[in-house]
């Protein structure tokens, strides 16, 4: 069992820097595309064997130190009464967005065993077959709310932000429902066997510090407090660069995910005595290998060999990425930077 990812989350010494990639399973892999020719994302998530296979594909091909359960952040939403369709080229689309107090009141409590039995079974299968730790995940409440209120991914989340300002009790009630959803969902994933969890707050970068402090931070704290007793590390990934990082770090998480807009060394100073994950710009992988190598070495140098660095990209793998570049990057991270480079 390769446990260097879990050791790094706990800031224990490791034989090599662990590495995995957000969105490592999926469209950049030909073996995934072959499966997608006859199965949708929803089909995959319902079928435990298929879901396990897609989760393992990047471990096999890339040699990463952790697997992340294959699903989408919107996968649990039907369980609270929201229909979601994943549209090619667009992402999740919600035909009837949540905008009013009545819409929020109509949402149901989330029952994981009833709503996502296939996913929980996939976790059990994966624990039998994997020789690296399995990461479970959920969308963070603000990011899920942005899909629910906007109806789809949005650059500025103007409808959700408008609701936060005009009807804070409605937006707040929605965020509270989503905290409860994430807690129930992640607890069920841990009970089924995941060994770490990550919260993706992919859209949080649209907020300024005032709104984050007022509307999001208390809810993220409740979420992380609820996860604390589970005995698995919780990774908190939010985008927003240096501006939001102090608030995101203060809101909780054993490991703080860094996007590429920050210098890893300086960001680690802000995070303090905790592990960090990141933070190579995913677009660098679209360039030639020497550029990938130079920038990856820079990330490793900025980590400086301190215990508690999990190498990752600063956001998800872009679909156009060549998997061979990812494979070389894994090998480079494992080989590490030399002592001279660190001096
Ligand atoms: O990391 C992994 O490999 C596990 C799988 C995973 C998916 N979505 C599968 C997926 C994870 C962790 C996610 C999280 C997710 N989904 C996030 C948070 C991370 C991030 O990138 O910010 C967000 C914002 C979404 C919403 C979403 N789902 C978008 C914007 C899209 C369309 C763009 C895209 O990447 O294709 C999806 C669809 C989706 N989720 C696909 C996959 C493999 C593509 C569906 C397909 O064509 O197969």
């Amino acid at each position: 069992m390769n446990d260097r990812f879990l050791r790094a989350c706990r800031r224990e010494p490791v034989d090599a820097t662990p590495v995995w990639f957000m969105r490592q399973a999926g469209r950049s892999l030909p073996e995934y595309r072959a499966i997608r020719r006859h199965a949708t994302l929803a089909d995959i998530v319902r079928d435990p064997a298929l879901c396990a296979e897609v989760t393992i594909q990047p471990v096999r091909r890339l040699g990463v130190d952790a697997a992340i359960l294959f699903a989408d952040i919107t996968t649990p939403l039907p369980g609270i009464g929201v229909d979601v369709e994943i549209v090619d080229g667009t992402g999740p689309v919600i035909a009837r967005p949540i905008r009013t107090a009545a819409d929020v009141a109509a949402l149901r409590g989330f029952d994981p065993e009833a709503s996502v039995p296939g996913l929980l079974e996939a976790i059990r299968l994966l624990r039998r077959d994997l020789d690296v730790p399995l990461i479970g995940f959920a969308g963070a409440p603000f990011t899920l709310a942005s899909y629910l209120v906007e109806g789809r991914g949005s650059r500025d989340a103007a409808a959700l932000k408008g609701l936060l300002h005009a009807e804070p009790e409605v937006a707040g009630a929605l965020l509270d429902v989503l905290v409860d959803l994430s807690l129930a969902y992640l607890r069920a994933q841990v009970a089924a066997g995941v060994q770490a969890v990550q919260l993706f707050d992919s859209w949080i970068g649209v907020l300024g510090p005032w709104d984050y402090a007022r509307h999001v931070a208390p809810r993220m704290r409740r979420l992380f407090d609820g996860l604390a007793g589970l005995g698995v590390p919780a990774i908190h990934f939010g985008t927003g660069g240096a501006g939001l990082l102090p608030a995101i770090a203060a809101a909780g998480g054993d490991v703080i995910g860094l996007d590429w807009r920050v210098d890893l060394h300086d960001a680690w100073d802000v995070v303090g005595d905790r592990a960090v994950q990141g933070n190579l710009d995913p677009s660098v992988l679209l360039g030639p290998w020497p550029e990938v190598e130079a920038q990856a070495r820079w990330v490793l140098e900025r980590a400086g060999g301190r215990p508690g660095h999990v190498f990752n990209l600063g956001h998800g793998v872009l679909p156009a990425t060549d998997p061979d570049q990812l494979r070389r990057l894994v090998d480079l991270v494992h080989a590490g930077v030399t002592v001279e480079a660190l001096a």
Side-chain angles (χ1 to χ4, degrees):
M1 175 77 188
N2 162 2
D3 69 344
R4 53 169 89 99
F5 162 73
L6 291 173
R7 292 180 59 87
C9 290
R10 298 189 296 255
R11 293 195 297 150
E12 293 166 6
V14 284
D15 60 335
T17 299
V19 47
W20 70 279
F21 304 118
M22 294 185 275
R23 312 295 299 271
Q24 65 191 9
R27 291 196 306 195
S28 69
L29 302 188
E31 57 271 39
Y32 172 78
R33 284 201 218 102
I35 287 176
R36 278 283 282 110
R37 274 200 288 277
H38 55 81
T40 65
L41 190 138
D43 295 336
I44 296 171
V45 168
R46 262 193 302 268
D47 179 334
L50 204 51
C51 180
E53 166 61 19
V54 170
T55 301
I56 292 180
Q57 283 175 347
V59 180
R60 235 184 253 137
R61 181 188 275 263
L62 307 175
V64 285
D65 298 296
I68 178 159
L69 180 65
F70 186 81
D72 188 63
I73 56 166
T74 54
T75 296
L77 295 179
I80 60 170
V82 177
D83 289 330
V84 183
E85 200 194 338
I86 307 253
V87 177
D88 278 344
T90 303
V93 174
I94 291 161
R96 297 183 52 248
I98 306 294
R99 301 234 165 119
T100 66
D103 293 339
V104 177
L107 297 173
R108 300 195 299 262
F110 184 67
D111 175 353
E113 292 290 345
S115 301
V116 288
L119 208 53
L120 299 177
E121 184 56 22
I123 294 171
R124 295 181 196 108
L125 295 178
L126 281 160
R127 279 306 303 279
R128 210 188 50 203
D129 295 342
L130 279 172
D131 56 7
V132 294
L134 177 62
I135 303 169
F137 74 93
F142 181 85
T143 291
L144 287 178
S146 80
Y147 281 99
L148 288 170
V149 174
E150 307 287 332
R152 59 182 62 215
S154 141
R155 282 172 58 83
D156 53 9
L160 172 57
K161 291 174 75 177
L163 193 67
L164 273 174
H165 301 132
E167 297 185 82
E169 55 305 319
V170 175
L174 175 59
L175 291 171
D176 287 333
V177 166
L178 296 171
V179 172
D180 292 336
L181 162 66
S182 299
L183 272 173
Y185 185 42
L186 292 173
R187 282 186 184 132
Q189 291 181 40
V190 172
V194 304
Q195 292 147 292
V197 293
Q198 174 157 327
L199 267 308
F200 282 95
D201 220 348
S202 307
W203 295 107
I204 197 67
V206 299
L207 285 188
W210 166 280
D211 284 317
Y212 189 87
R214 175 137 183 247
H215 301 292
V216 178
R219 296 181 167 106
M220 293 309 284
R221 266 188 223 110
R222 180 160 80 84
L223 184 40
F224 285 108
D225 286 348
L227 299 173
L230 298 178
V232 303
I235 307 167
H236 187 178
F237 171 73
T239 57
L244 229 40
L245 182 62
I248 288 173
D254 302 297
V255 182
I256 302 300
L258 305 173
D259 75 23
W260 72 87
R261 298 171 185 87
V262 294
D263 176 274
L264 188 138
H265 181 276
D266 298 346
W268 207 339
D269 281 345
V270 172
V271 168
D273 286 341
R274 269 181 291 170
V276 297
Q277 175 174 282
N279 73 338
L280 181 69
D281 184 339
S283 72
V284 171
L285 286 145
L286 304 178
W289 172 252
E291 184 65 21
V292 179
E293 176 168 10
Q295 294 211 30
R297 282 188 189 285
W298 172 246
V299 170
L300 289 168
E301 282 167 30
R302 298 305 280 162
R306 280 175 283 179
H309 178 218
V310 176
F311 192 101
N312 205 313
L313 306 180
H315 203 149
V317 174
L318 296 168
T321 305
D322 176 354
D324 290 342
Q325 296 258 68
L326 290 169
R327 168 82 238 184
R328 280 180 89 172
L329 177 55
V330 169
D331 293 341
L332 175 90
V333 172
H334 285 160
V337 283
T338 60
V339 179
E340 300 83 80
L342 290 174

